[in-house]
Amino acid sequence: MSIKNSLNNIKSKLPNNVTLVAVSKTKPIPEIMEAYEAGQRVFGENKIQEMAAKYEEMPKDIEWHMIGHIQRNKVKYMASFVSLIHAVDSLKLLKEINKQALKNNRTISCLLQVKIADEDSKFGLPEEDVLQLLVSEEFTSLQNIKIEGLMGMATFTNDEAQLIQEFQKLNTLYNTLKNKYNLSTLSMGMSGDYPLAITNGSNMVRVGSAIFGERNYSK
Ligand SMILES: *Cc1c(COP(=O)(O)O)cnc(C)c1O
């Protein structure tokens, strides 16, 4: 299927309240432009310098989301333009984002990544630490960031019961915090599991290979 058809096919299945982040990491600009021409405006990348290079080259009405793990010393390369940072998992990182946001005279929207998978390799804050962070004075003193919601990555498995359990865990946490902390975004679900993530509360899905095809990392 063409990129355009894959994209339209996925979009036709998404409820109205769900935002589609087209994950374009490793993909060349002409392929991303195909999705752009088909109407897609929100793209996700997992490497800051790759995202910055694409930002420079591509139309300026694109919303760029950083979905990958972040090294603090690279925040400066995206601070002027990034529209949402998904994988924030420490106060140290929030402080650096705040500092760079201030330098650029803007507020940067972030999601806190929560660890829901049972794999060690997945980053994220333990569930118990999320509230602690939100109430800490160090956090509330940061004026140039806004926590818009939570993000999670489920275990890489076909076990539907386990996926549901992990998505539900994050959805429950999100619902407990939503009103008090003014959250509006729950980012969970990728190509393999986004329909299930949506059924379990997600309103932002990050879909790459189902739109652009498999990624080739060996190139
Ligand atoms: C690559 C990536 C995705 C998209 O993965 P697909 O399986 O290709 O849809 C989603 N979220 C994050 C954090 C990613 O790194």
Side-chain angles (χ1 to χ4, degrees), residues 15 20-21 23 49 52-53 77 84 88 116-117 128 132 148 162 169 186 207:
L20 172 64
V21 180
V23 176
Q49 274 133 325
Y77 302 121
L84 184 63
V88 176
I116 53 172
E128 329 62 274
Q132 218 182 320
E148 302 240 336
Q162 183 175 358
K169 183 157 79 174
L186 180 54
V207 179

Side-chain angles (χ1 to χ4, degrees), residues 1-11 20-25 27-45 54 58-59 61-64 207-213:
M1 226 192 292
S2 69
I3 289 170
K4 181 180 177 182
N5 288 346
S6 304
L7 182 68
N8 286 335
N9 181 39
I10 291 166
K11 280 204 295 198
L20 172 64
V21 180
V23 176
S24 49
K25 61 189 186 196
K27 296 296 176 182
I29 288 172
E31 289 179 29
I32 309 173
M33 277 309 293
E34 267 185 71
Y36 179 87
E37 300 294 351
Q40 183 65 23
R41 291 294 180 272
V42 183
F43 292 91
E45 290 282 334
K54 287 172 177 174
M58 295 191 63
D61 60 345
I62 291 176
E63 277 183 36
W64 291 100
V207 179
S209 46
I211 297 171
F212 295 104

Side-chain angles (χ1 to χ4, degrees), residues 6-183:
S6 304
L7 182 68
N8 286 335
N9 181 39
I10 291 166
K11 280 204 295 198
S12 70
K13 290 187 283 192
L14 296 182
N16 279 333
N17 68 317
V18 176
T19 301
L20 172 64
V21 180
V23 176
S24 49
K25 61 189 186 196
T26 78
K27 296 296 176 182
I29 288 172
E31 289 179 29
I32 309 173
M33 277 309 293
E34 267 185 71
Y36 179 87
E37 300 294 351
Q40 183 65 23
R41 291 294 180 272
V42 183
F43 292 91
E45 290 282 334
N46 73 337
K47 295 216 166 77
I48 292 173
Q49 274 133 325
E50 183 177 342
M51 181 172 79
K54 287 172 177 174
Y55 163 76
E56 290 298 333
E57 297 287 318
M58 295 191 63
K60 292 297 172 285
D61 60 345
I62 291 176
E63 277 183 36
W64 291 100
H65 289 201
M66 175 40 57
I67 62 170
H69 184 70
I70 294 160
Q71 288 168 280
R72 284 200 301 283
N73 61 355
K74 293 188 178 159
V75 172
K76 56 179 178 284
Y77 302 121
M78 65 174 170
S80 67
F81 71 90
V82 67
S83 75
L84 184 63
I85 302 179
H86 286 235
V88 176
D89 63 359
S90 74
L91 192 56
K92 263 186 168 169
L93 177 56
L94 278 171
K95 284 183 184 165
E96 176 62 17
I97 296 170
N98 187 71
K99 181 176 144 194
Q100 297 300 334
L102 188 60
K103 274 193 190 165
N104 286 276
N105 198 20
R106 63 185 294 243
T107 299
I108 296 182
S109 296
C110 301
L111 306 178
L112 294 177
Q113 180 173 7
V114 185
K115 185 171 157 50
I116 53 172
D118 66 5
E119 296 158 3
D120 287 339
S121 63
K122 301 277 157 81
F123 298 100
L125 287 161
E127 216 181 336
E128 329 62 274
D129 293 3
V130 174
L131 182 61
Q132 218 182 320
L133 189 151
L134 289 173
V135 299
S136 72
E137 211 170 296
E138 274 186 295
F139 167 72
T140 49
S141 70
L142 303 176
Q143 297 295 310
N144 291 66
I145 46 166
K146 178 172 182 341
I147 302 294
E148 302 240 336
L150 305 178
M151 178 270 206
M153 283 178 89
T155 304
F156 189 71
T157 176
N158 290 323
D159 182 348
E160 203 165 284
Q162 183 175 358
L163 289 172
I164 290 173
Q165 191 227 322
E166 293 176 3
F167 289 145
Q168 274 301 333
K169 183 157 79 174
L170 192 53
N171 189 32
T172 303
L173 179 65
Y174 174 70
N175 282 313
T176 0
L177 302 172
K178 183 167 73 173
N179 292 335
K180 184 138 192 246
Y181 297 96
N182 205 10
L183 307 184

